[in-house]
Amino acid sequence: MNQSRCGAAAMSVGTFGDEPPAIPAQAGAATPAPRAAADLAGGGAALVVCRGPHAGTVIPVADAVTVGRGRDCDITLDAPTVSLRHALIHRVGDRYAITDSGSLNGTYLNRNPVDRAELSDGDELWIGTYRFTFRAA
């Protein structure tokens, strides 16, 4: 075990991008995500990070975005619980849908596993240990 200068045991800390730490929530209380008004003004959509060190971050969603651990994905999530190509969020007419890309840990919409589902404003997405709120104009 490593010792710090003060003689106390040093903890090993994960690198940036590892699984985000869980933020304790009050029982039954949902964590509200901020609206991304500027990003949604043109009828677009966005993912809002719900927890961890990047909580509140708004990620704009184009007509089709890939989500996964692979560096070639449009949204890269660096966690072992995320598959290289985990899911695809894509526009279908004036709506959006999410399609799981055969991920090992699955994709969850409002706490239910899905292979493909239509998204609505305020939906909660779970991809690995990451939690997002989907926002659409």
Side-chain angles (χ1 to χ4, degrees):
M1 180 176 267
N2 295 332
Q3 296 286 325
S4 70
R5 289 185 205 182
C6 297
M11 293 177 38
S12 66
V13 178
T15 60
F16 178 77
D18 281 353
E19 294 182 34
I23 296 175
Q26 294 176 350
T31 304
R35 290 287 294 178
D39 294 322
L40 304 180
L47 294 177
V48 181
V49 179
C50 292
R51 68 178 202 181
H54 303 290
T57 300
V58 177
I59 304 167
V61 174
D63 287 342
V65 294
T66 55
V67 181
R69 198 176 71 243
R71 297 293 175 206
D72 61 332
C73 290
D74 298 311
I75 300 173
T76 302
L77 304 175
D78 191 16
T81 57
V82 177
S83 295
L84 287 176
R85 293 187 63 83
H86 199 101
L88 173 70
I89 300 172
H90 50 99
R91 186 185 291 263
V92 180
D94 62 346
R95 306 288 306 233
Y96 282 86
I98 187 162
T99 303
D100 185 84
S101 300
S103 66
L104 181 62
N105 290 315
T107 299
Y108 290 77
L109 176 63
N110 299 321
R111 301 179 185 233
N112 297 307
V114 296
D115 289 326
R116 185 178 191 288
E118 189 173 289
L119 297 170
S120 298
D121 185 55
D123 280 346
E124 183 180 25
L125 289 173
W126 293 5
I127 298 175
T129 56
Y130 289 85
R131 306 294 183 257
F132 302 97
T133 299
F134 178 78
R135 294 296 183 189

